[in-house]
Amino acid sequence: MGKKDASATRLPVEQYRKQIGKQDYKKTKLDLKLTRLKAEAKKNSSGFKDAFLVIAAIAFFVLCVYAFFYLNLSTELDLDVDVD
């Protein structure tokens, strides 16, 4: 099988990749740079966002536990005052 015969039978995936590559080449360098910077910023900022959400969830849980015990203990103290 010669080189021309091998290139003539392309897979549909290879044709699709080549078509996408041509479309990206048509974009200006500035557009490609802006797209790359947006993707990098999104990837880098997600770590801070996830850490903040975890800390916020832990703080909310602690606040709920504190409020539960505060309300339960405050009602018991009020009952003791009424007895006197």
Side-chain angles (χ1 to χ4, degrees):
M1 185 182 270
K3 186 175 181 181
K4 288 184 179 179
D5 293 336
S7 67
T9 58
R10 289 188 188 160
L11 295 174
V13 174
E14 292 298 325
Q15 291 175 350
Y16 179 71
R17 287 180 182 163
K18 187 175 181 180
Q19 182 182 5
I20 290 176
K22 285 180 181 178
Q23 290 174 357
D24 281 342
Y25 184 72
K26 290 178 184 177
K27 294 179 182 176
T28 64
K29 288 185 179 183
L30 181 62
D31 290 338
L32 293 173
K33 186 176 181 180
L34 289 174
T35 306
R36 188 185 75 230
L37 289 175
K38 277 185 184 179
E40 287 177 3
K42 185 178 181 181
K43 186 170 69 171
N44 292 337
S45 68
S46 66
F48 295 114
K49 185 178 179 181
D50 291 342
F52 176 74
L53 288 176
V54 169
I55 291 171
I58 291 171
F60 180 74
F61 177 74
V62 169
L63 181 67
C64 288
V65 170
Y66 177 79
F68 175 76
F69 284 119
Y70 177 77
L71 292 174
N72 282 340
L73 292 176
S74 66
T75 55
E76 289 177 13
L77 292 176
D78 289 340
L79 293 176
D80 290 340
V81 172
D82 291 338
V83 172
D84 287 335

Coordinates of all heavy atoms in Angstrom, one line a residue:
M1 N 0.8 -1.2 0.0 CA 0.0 0.0 0.0 C 0.9 1.2 0.0 O 1.8 1.4 0.9 CB -0.9 0.0 1.2 CG -1.9 1.1 1.3 SD -2.9 1.0 2.7 CE -4.2 0.0 2.2
G2 N 0.7 2.1 -0.9 CA 1.5 3.3 -1.1 C 1.0 4.4 -0.1 O 0.0 4.3 0.5
K3 N 1.8 5.5 -0.1 CA 1.5 6.6 0.7 C 0.2 7.3 0.3 O -0.6 7.6 1.2 CB 2.7 7.6 0.7 CG 2.5 8.7 1.7 CD 3.7 9.6 1.7 CE 3.6 10.7 2.7 NZ 4.8 11.6 2.8
K4 N -0.1 7.4 -0.9 CA -1.3 8.0 -1.4 C -2.5 7.2 -1.0 O -3.5 7.7 -0.7 CB -1.2 8.2 -2.9 CG -0.3 9.3 -3.3 CD -0.3 9.6 -4.8 CE 0.6 10.7 -5.2 NZ 0.6 10.9 -6.6
D5 N -2.4 5.9 -1.1 CA -3.5 5.0 -0.8 C -3.8 5.1 0.7 O -5.0 5.0 1.1 CB -3.2 3.6 -1.2 CG -3.1 3.4 -2.7 OD1 -3.7 4.2 -3.4 OD2 -2.4 2.4 -3.1
A6 N -2.8 5.2 1.5 CA -3.0 5.2 3.0 C -3.7 6.5 3.4 O -4.6 6.6 4.3 CB -1.7 5.1 3.7
S7 N -3.4 7.6 2.8 CA -3.9 8.9 3.1 C -5.4 9.1 2.6 O -6.1 9.9 3.1 CB -3.1 10.1 2.7 OG -3.1 10.1 1.2
A8 N -5.7 8.3 1.6 CA -7.0 8.4 1.0 C -8.1 7.8 1.9 O -9.3 8.3 1.8 CB -7.1 7.8 -0.4
T9 N -7.8 6.8 2.7 CA -8.7 6.2 3.5 C -8.6 6.7 5.0 O -8.0 6.1 5.8 CB -8.5 4.7 3.5 OG1 -7.2 4.4 3.9 CG2 -8.8 4.1 2.1
R10 N -9.1 7.9 5.2 CA -9.0 8.5 6.5 C -10.2 8.1 7.3 O -11.3 7.9 6.8 CB -9.0 10.0 6.4 CG -7.7 10.6 5.9 CD -7.7 12.1 6.0 NE -6.5 12.6 5.3 CZ -6.4 13.9 4.9 NH1 -7.4 14.7 5.1 NH2 -5.4 14.3 4.3
L11 N -10.0 8.1 8.6 CA -11.1 7.8 9.5 C -11.9 9.1 9.7 O -11.4 10.2 9.5 CB -10.5 7.4 10.9 CG -9.8 6.1 10.9 CD1 -9.2 5.9 12.3 CD2 -10.7 4.9 10.6
P12 N -13.2 9.0 9.9 CA -14.0 10.2 10.1 C -13.5 11.0 11.3 O -13.6 12.2 11.2 CB -15.4 9.6 10.4 CG -15.4 8.2 9.9 CD -14.0 7.7 10.0
V13 N -12.9 10.4 12.3 CA -12.4 11.1 13.4 C -11.2 12.0 13.0 O -11.2 13.2 13.4 CB -11.9 10.2 14.5 CG1 -11.3 10.9 15.7 CG2 -13.1 9.4 15.0
E14 N -10.4 11.5 12.1 CA -9.2 12.3 11.7 C -9.7 13.5 10.8 O -9.2 14.6 10.9 CB -8.3 11.4 10.9 CG -7.5 10.4 11.7 CD -6.7 11.0 12.8 OE1 -6.1 12.1 12.6 OE2 -6.6 10.4 13.9
Q15 N -10.7 13.2 10.0 CA -11.3 14.3 9.2 C -11.9 15.4 10.1 O -11.7 16.6 9.8 CB -12.3 13.8 8.2 CG -11.8 12.9 7.1 CD -12.8 12.3 6.3 OE1 -14.0 12.3 6.6 NE2 -12.4 11.7 5.2
Y16 N -12.6 15.0 11.1 CA -13.2 15.9 12.0 C -12.1 16.7 12.8 O -12.3 18.0 12.9 CB -14.1 15.2 13.1 CG -14.7 16.0 14.1 CD1 -15.8 16.8 13.7 CD2 -14.3 16.0 15.4 CE1 -16.4 17.6 14.7 CE2 -14.9 16.8 16.4 CZ -16.0 17.6 16.0 OH -16.6 18.4 16.9
R17 N -11.1 16.1 13.2 CA -10.0 16.8 13.9 C -9.3 17.8 12.9 O -9.0 18.9 13.3 CB -8.9 15.8 14.4 CG -9.4 15.0 15.5 CD -8.3 14.1 16.0 NE -8.7 13.3 17.1 CZ -8.1 12.2 17.5 NH1 -7.1 11.7 16.9 NH2 -8.6 11.5 18.5
K18 N -9.1 17.4 11.7 CA -8.5 18.3 10.7 C -9.4 19.6 10.5 O -9.0 20.7 10.4 CB -8.3 17.6 9.4 CG -7.5 18.4 8.4 CD -7.1 17.6 7.2 CE -6.3 18.5 6.2 NZ -6.0 17.7 5.0
Q19 N -10.7 19.3 10.4 CA -11.7 20.4 10.2 C -11.7 21.4 11.4 O -11.7 22.6 11.2 CB -13.1 19.8 10.0 CG -14.1 20.9 9.8 CD -15.5 20.3 9.6 OE1 -15.7 19.1 9.8 NE2 -16.5 21.1 9.3
I20 N -11.6 20.8 12.6 CA -11.6 21.7 13.8 C -10.3 22.5 13.8 O -10.2 23.7 14.2 CB -11.7 20.9 15.1 CG1 -13.2 20.4 15.2 CG2 -11.4 21.7 16.3 CD1 -13.4 19.4 16.3
G21 N -9.2 21.8 13.4 CA -7.9 22.5 13.4 C -7.9 23.7 12.4 O -7.3 24.7 12.7
K22 N -8.6 23.5 11.3 CA -8.7 24.6 10.3 C -9.5 25.8 10.9 O -9.2 26.9 10.7 CB -9.3 24.1 9.0 CG -8.4 23.3 8.2 CD -9.1 22.8 6.9 CE -8.2 22.0 6.1 NZ -8.9 21.5 4.9
Q23 N -10.5 25.4 11.7 CA -11.4 26.5 12.2 C -10.6 27.3 13.3 O -10.7 28.5 13.4 CB -12.6 25.9 12.9 CG -13.6 25.4 11.8 CD -14.8 24.7 12.4 OE1 -14.8 24.5 13.7 NE2 -15.7 24.2 11.6
D24 N -9.8 26.6 14.1 CA -9.0 27.3 15.1 C -7.9 28.1 14.5 O -7.5 29.2 15.0 CB -8.3 26.3 16.1 CG -9.3 25.8 17.1 OD1 -10.3 26.4 17.3 OD2 -9.0 24.7 17.7
Y25 N -7.4 27.7 13.3 CA -6.4 28.5 12.7 C -6.9 29.8 12.1 O -6.2 30.8 12.1 CB -5.8 27.6 11.5 CG -4.6 28.3 10.8 CD1 -3.4 28.5 11.4 CD2 -4.8 28.8 9.5 CE1 -2.4 29.1 10.8 CE2 -3.8 29.5 8.9 CZ -2.6 29.6 9.5 OH -1.5 30.2 8.9
K26 N -8.2 29.8 11.8 CA -8.9 31.0 11.3 C -9.0 32.1 12.4 O -9.1 33.2 12.0 CB -10.2 30.6 10.7 CG -10.2 29.8 9.4 CD -11.6 29.5 8.9 CE -11.5 28.6 7.7 NZ -12.9 28.2 7.3
K27 N -9.0 31.7 13.6 CA -9.1 32.6 14.7 C -7.8 33.4 14.8 O -6.7 33.0 14.5 CB -9.4 31.9 16.0 CG -10.7 31.2 16.1 CD -10.9 30.6 17.5 CE -12.1 29.8 17.6 NZ -12.3 29.1 18.8
T28 N -8.0 34.7 15.3 CA -6.8 35.5 15.4 C -6.0 35.0 16.6 O -6.5 34.4 17.5 CB -7.1 37.0 15.6 OG1 -7.9 37.1 16.8 CG2 -7.9 37.5 14.4
K29 N -4.7 35.4 16.7 CA -3.9 35.0 17.8 C -4.4 35.7 19.1 O -4.4 35.0 20.2 CB -2.5 35.5 17.6 CG -1.7 34.7 16.6 CD -0.3 35.1 16.5 CE 0.4 34.2 15.4 NZ 1.9 34.5 15.4
L30 N -5.0 36.8 19.1 CA -5.5 37.5 20.3 C -6.7 36.7 20.8 O -6.8 36.5 22.0 CB -6.0 38.9 19.9 CG -6.5 39.7 21.1 CD1 -5.5 39.9 22.2 CD2 -7.0 41.1 20.6
D31 N -7.6 36.2 19.9 CA -8.7 35.4 20.4 C -8.3 34.1 21.1 O -8.8 33.7 22.1 CB -9.7 35.1 19.2 CG -10.4 36.3 18.7 OD1 -10.5 37.3 19.5 OD2 -10.9 36.3 17.6
L32 N -7.3 33.5 20.5 CA -6.8 32.3 21.0 C -6.1 32.5 22.4 O -6.3 31.7 23.3 CB -5.8 31.6 20.1 CG -6.3 31.1 18.8 CD1 -5.2 30.6 17.9 CD2 -7.3 29.9 19.1
K33 N -5.4 33.6 22.5 CA -4.7 34.0 23.8 C -5.8 34.2 24.9 O -5.6 33.8 26.0 CB -3.8 35.2 23.6 CG -3.0 35.5 24.8 CD -2.0 36.7 24.4 CE -1.2 37.0 25.6 NZ -0.3 38.1 25.3
L34 N -6.8 35.0 24.5 CA -7.8 35.3 25.5 C -8.6 34.1 25.9 O -8.9 33.9 27.1 CB -8.8 36.3 24.9 CG -8.3 37.7 24.7 CD1 -9.4 38.6 24.0 CD2 -8.0 38.4 26.0
T35 N -8.8 33.1 25.0 CA -9.5 31.9 25.4 C -8.6 31.1 26.3 O -9.1 30.5 27.3 CB -9.8 31.1 24.1 OG1 -10.6 31.9 23.2 CG2 -10.6 29.8 24.4
R36 N -7.3 31.0 26.0 CA -6.4 30.2 26.9 C -6.3 30.9 28.2 O -6.3 30.1 29.2 CB -5.0 30.2 26.2 CG -4.1 29.2 26.9 CD -2.7 29.3 26.3 NE -2.0 30.5 26.8 CZ -1.4 31.4 26.0 NH1 -1.3 31.1 24.7 NH2 -0.9 32.5 26.5
L37 N -6.2 32.2 28.3 CA -6.2 32.9 29.6 C -7.4 32.6 30.5 O -7.4 32.5 31.7 CB -5.9 34.3 29.4 CG -4.5 34.7 28.9 CD1 -4.4 36.2 28.7 CD2 -3.4 34.3 29.9
K38 N -8.6 32.7 29.8 CA -9.8 32.4 30.5 C -9.8 31.0 31.1 O -10.3 30.8 32.2 CB -11.0 32.6 29.6 CG -11.5 34.0 29.4 CD -12.8 34.0 28.6 CE -13.3 35.4 28.3 NZ -14.5 35.4 27.4
A39 N -9.4 30.0 30.3 CA -9.4 28.6 30.8 C -8.4 28.5 31.9 O -8.7 27.8 32.9 CB -9.0 27.7 29.6
E40 N -7.3 29.1 31.8 CA -6.3 29.0 32.9 C -6.8 29.6 34.2 O -6.7 29.1 35.3 CB -5.0 29.6 32.5 CG -4.2 28.8 31.5 CD -2.9 29.5 31.1 OE1 -2.6 30.6 31.6 OE2 -2.2 28.9 30.2
A41 N -7.5 30.8 34.1 CA -8.0 31.5 35.2 C -9.1 30.7 35.9 O -9.2 30.6 37.1 CB -8.5 32.9 34.8
K42 N -9.9 30.1 35.1 CA -11.0 29.2 35.6 C -10.5 28.0 36.3 O -10.9 27.6 37.4 CB -11.9 28.8 34.5 CG -13.2 28.1 34.9 CD -14.0 27.7 33.7 CE -15.3 27.0 34.2 NZ -16.1 26.6 33.0
K43 N -9.4 27.4 35.8 CA -8.8 26.2 36.4 C -8.1 26.6 37.7 O -8.2 25.9 38.7 CB -7.8 25.6 35.4 CG -7.3 24.3 35.9 CD -6.5 23.5 34.9 CE -5.2 24.3 34.5 NZ -4.3 23.5 33.7
N44 N -7.4 27.7 37.8 CA -6.7 28.1 38.9 C -7.6 28.6 40.1 O -7.3 28.4 41.2 CB -5.7 29.2 38.6 CG -4.6 28.7 37.7 OD1 -4.3 27.5 37.7 ND2 -3.9 29.5 37.0
S45 N -8.7 29.3 39.7 CA -9.6 29.8 40.8 C -10.5 28.8 41.4 O -11.0 29.0 42.5 CB -10.4 31.0 40.2 OG -11.3 30.4 39.3
S46 N -10.6 27.7 40.8 CA -11.5 26.7 41.4 C -11.0 26.1 42.7 O -11.8 25.7 43.5 CB -11.8 25.5 40.4 OG -10.6 24.8 40.1
G47 N -9.7 26.1 42.9 CA -9.1 25.6 44.1 C -9.5 26.5 45.3 O -9.9 26.0 46.4
F48 N -9.4 27.8 45.1 CA -9.8 28.7 46.2 C -11.3 28.6 46.4 O -11.7 28.7 47.6 CB -9.4 30.1 45.8 CG -8.0 30.3 45.7 CD1 -7.4 30.6 44.4 CD2 -7.1 30.2 46.8 CE1 -6.0 30.8 44.3 CE2 -5.8 30.4 46.7 CZ -5.2 30.7 45.4
K49 N -12.1 28.5 45.4 CA -13.5 28.4 45.5 C -13.9 27.2 46.3 O -14.8 27.3 47.2 CB -14.2 28.4 44.2 CG -15.7 28.5 44.2 CD -16.3 28.5 42.8 CE -17.8 28.6 42.8 NZ -18.3 28.6 41.5
D50 N -13.3 26.1 46.0 CA -13.6 24.8 46.7 C -13.2 24.9 48.2 O -14.0 24.5 49.0 CB -12.9 23.6 46.0 CG -13.5 23.3 44.7 OD1 -14.6 23.8 44.4 OD2 -12.8 22.6 43.9
A51 N -12.1 25.5 48.4 CA -11.6 25.6 49.8 C -12.5 26.5 50.6 O -12.9 26.2 51.8 CB -10.2 26.1 49.8
F52 N -12.9 27.6 50.0 CA -13.9 28.5 50.7 C -15.2 27.8 51.0 O -15.8 28.0 52.1 CB -14.1 29.7 49.8 CG -15.1 30.7 50.4 CD1 -14.8 31.5 51.5 CD2 -16.4 30.8 49.9 CE1 -15.7 32.3 52.1 CE2 -17.3 31.6 50.4 CZ -17.0 32.4 51.5
L53 N -15.7 27.0 50.0 CA -17.0 26.3 50.3 C -16.9 25.3 51.4 O -17.8 25.2 52.2 CB -17.4 25.7 49.0 CG -18.0 26.6 47.9 CD1 -18.3 25.8 46.6 CD2 -19.2 27.4 48.3
V54 N -15.8 24.6 51.5 CA -15.6 23.6 52.5 C -15.5 24.3 53.9 O -16.2 23.9 54.9 CB -14.3 22.8 52.3 CG1 -13.9 22.0 53.5 CG2 -14.5 21.9 51.1
I55 N -14.8 25.4 54.0 CA -14.7 26.2 55.2 C -16.0 26.8 55.6 O -16.4 26.7 56.8 CB -13.6 27.3 55.1 CG1 -12.2 26.6 55.0 CG2 -13.7 28.2 56.3 CD1 -11.1 27.6 54.7
A56 N -16.8 27.3 54.7 CA -18.1 27.8 54.9 C -19.1 26.7 55.4 O -19.8 27.0 56.3 CB -18.6 28.5 53.7
A57 N -19.0 25.5 54.8 CA -19.8 24.4 55.2 C -19.5 24.0 56.7 O -20.4 23.7 57.5 CB -19.7 23.3 54.3
I58 N -18.2 23.9 57.0 CA -17.9 23.6 58.4 C -18.3 24.6 59.4 O -18.9 24.3 60.4 CB -16.3 23.3 58.5 CG1 -15.9 22.1 57.7 CG2 -15.9 23.2 59.9 CD1 -14.5 21.9 57.5
A59 N -18.1 25.9 59.0 CA -18.6 27.0 59.9 C -20.1 26.9 60.1 O -20.6 27.1 61.2 CB -18.1 28.3 59.4
F60 N -20.8 26.7 59.1 CA -22.3 26.6 59.1 C -22.7 25.4 60.0 O -23.6 25.6 60.9 CB -22.9 26.4 57.7 CG -24.4 26.4 57.7 CD1 -25.2 27.5 58.0 CD2 -25.0 25.2 57.5 CE1 -26.5 27.4 58.0 CE2 -26.4 25.1 57.5 CZ -27.2 26.2 57.8
F61 N -22.1 24.3 59.9 CA -22.4 23.1 60.7 C -22.1 23.4 62.2 O -22.9 23.1 63.1 CB -21.5 21.9 60.3 CG -21.7 20.7 61.1 CD1 -22.9 20.0 61.0 CD2 -20.7 20.3 62.0 CE1 -23.1 18.8 61.8 CE2 -20.9 19.2 62.8 CZ -22.1 18.4 62.7
V62 N -21.0 24.0 62.5 CA -20.6 24.4 63.9 C -21.6 25.4 64.4 O -22.1 25.3 65.6 CB -19.2 24.9 64.0 CG1 -18.9 25.5 65.3 CG2 -18.2 23.8 63.7
L63 N -22.0 26.3 63.6 CA -23.0 27.3 64.1 C -24.4 26.6 64.4 O -25.0 27.0 65.4 CB -23.2 28.4 63.0 CG -24.2 29.5 63.3 CD1 -23.7 30.4 64.5 CD2 -24.5 30.3 62.1
C64 N -24.8 25.7 63.5 CA -26.0 25.0 63.8 C -26.0 24.2 65.1 O -26.9 24.2 65.9 CB -26.4 24.0 62.6 SG -26.9 24.9 61.1
V65 N -24.9 23.5 65.3 CA -24.7 22.7 66.6 C -24.7 23.7 67.8 O -25.4 23.4 68.8 CB -23.4 21.9 66.5 CG1 -23.1 21.3 67.9 CG2 -23.5 20.8 65.5
Y66 N -24.0 24.8 67.7 CA -24.0 25.8 68.8 C -25.4 26.3 69.0 O -25.9 26.4 70.2 CB -23.1 26.9 68.4 CG -23.1 28.0 69.4 CD1 -22.3 27.9 70.6 CD2 -23.8 29.2 69.2 CE1 -22.3 28.9 71.6 CE2 -23.8 30.2 70.2 CZ -23.1 30.0 71.3 OH -23.1 31.0 72.3
A67 N -26.2 26.6 68.0 CA -27.5 27.2 68.1 C -28.4 26.1 68.8 O -29.3 26.4 69.6 CB -28.1 27.6 66.8
F68 N -28.3 24.9 68.4 CA -29.1 23.8 68.9 C -28.9 23.7 70.4 O -29.8 23.6 71.2 CB -28.8 22.5 68.2 CG -29.5 21.3 68.8 CD1 -30.8 21.1 68.5 CD2 -28.8 20.4 69.6 CE1 -31.5 20.0 69.1 CE2 -29.4 19.3 70.1 CZ -30.8 19.1 69.9
F69 N -27.6 23.6 70.8 CA -27.3 23.5 72.3 C -27.7 24.7 73.0 O -28.2 24.7 74.2 CB -25.9 23.1 72.5 CG -25.6 21.7 72.2 CD1 -24.6 21.4 71.2 CD2 -26.2 20.7 72.9 CE1 -24.4 20.0 70.9 CE2 -25.9 19.3 72.6 CZ -25.0 19.0 71.6
Y70 N -27.5 25.9 72.4 CA -27.9 27.1 73.1 C -29.4 27.2 73.4 O -29.8 27.6 74.5 CB -27.4 28.3 72.3 CG -27.8 29.7 72.8 CD1 -27.1 30.2 73.9 CD2 -28.9 30.4 72.3 CE1 -27.5 31.4 74.5 CE2 -29.3 31.6 72.9 CZ -28.6 32.1 73.9 OH -28.9 33.3 74.5
L71 N -30.2 26.9 72.4 CA -31.6 26.9 72.6 C -32.1 25.9 73.6 O -33.0 26.1 74.4 CB -32.3 26.7 71.2 CG -32.1 27.9 70.2 CD1 -32.7 27.5 68.9 CD2 -32.7 29.1 70.8
N72 N -31.5 24.7 73.6 CA -31.9 23.7 74.5 C -31.5 24.0 75.9 O -32.3 23.9 76.9 CB -31.3 22.3 74.2 CG -32.0 21.6 73.0 OD1 -33.2 22.0 72.8 ND2 -31.4 20.7 72.4
L73 N -30.3 24.6 76.1 CA -29.9 25.0 77.5 C -30.6 26.2 78.0 O -30.9 26.3 79.2 CB -28.4 25.2 77.5 CG -27.5 23.9 77.3 CD1 -26.1 24.3 77.3 CD2 -27.8 22.9 78.4
S74 N -30.9 27.1 77.1 CA -31.6 28.4 77.5 C -33.0 28.1 78.0 O -33.5 28.7 78.9 CB -31.6 29.4 76.4 OG -32.4 29.0 75.4
T75 N -33.7 27.1 77.4 CA -35.1 26.8 77.8 C -35.0 26.0 79.2 O -35.9 26.2 80.0 CB -35.8 25.9 76.8 OG1 -35.0 24.7 76.5 CG2 -36.0 26.6 75.5
E76 N -34.0 25.3 79.4 CA -33.9 24.6 80.7 C -33.6 25.6 81.8 O -34.1 25.5 82.9 CB -32.8 23.5 80.7 CG -33.1 22.3 79.9 CD -32.0 21.3 79.8 OE1 -31.0 21.5 80.5 OE2 -32.1 20.4 79.0
L77 N -32.8 26.6 81.6 CA -32.5 27.6 82.5 C -33.7 28.5 82.9 O -34.0 28.8 84.0 CB -31.4 28.5 82.1 CG -30.0 27.9 82.0 CD1 -29.0 28.9 81.4 CD2 -29.5 27.4 83.3
D78 N -34.6 28.7 81.9 CA -35.8 29.5 82.1 C -36.8 28.7 83.0 O -37.4 29.3 83.8 CB -36.5 29.8 80.8 CG -35.7 30.8 80.0 OD1 -34.9 31.6 80.6 OD2 -35.9 30.9 78.8
L79 N -36.8 27.4 82.9 CA -37.6 26.6 83.7 C -37.2 26.6 85.2 O -38.0 26.6 86.1 CB -37.7 25.1 83.2 CG -38.4 24.9 81.8 CD1 -38.2 23.5 81.4 CD2 -39.8 25.3 81.9
D80 N -35.9 26.6 85.4 CA -35.3 26.7 86.7 C -35.7 28.0 87.4 O -35.9 28.1 88.6 CB -33.8 26.5 86.7 CG -33.4 25.1 86.3 OD1 -34.3 24.2 86.5 OD2 -32.3 24.8 85.9
V81 N -35.7 29.1 86.6 CA -36.0 30.4 87.2 C -37.5 30.4 87.6 O -37.8 31.0 88.7 CB -35.7 31.5 86.2 CG1 -36.2 32.8 86.7 CG2 -34.2 31.6 85.9
D82 N -38.4 29.8 86.9 CA -39.8 29.8 87.2 C -40.1 29.1 88.5 O -41.1 29.3 89.2 CB -40.6 29.2 86.0 CG -40.6 30.1 84.8 OD1 -40.4 31.3 85.0 OD2 -40.8 29.6 83.7
V83 N -39.3 28.1 88.8 CA -39.5 27.2 90.0 C -39.3 28.1 91.3 O -40.0 27.9 92.3 CB -38.6 26.0 90.0 CG1 -38.6 25.3 91.3 CG2 -38.9 25.1 88.8
D84 N -38.4 29.0 91.3 CA -38.2 29.8 92.5 C -39.3 30.7 92.8 O -40.1 31.0 93.3 CB -37.0 30.8 92.3 CG -35.7 30.0 92.3 OD1 -35.6 28.9 92.9 OD2 -34.7 30.5 91.7

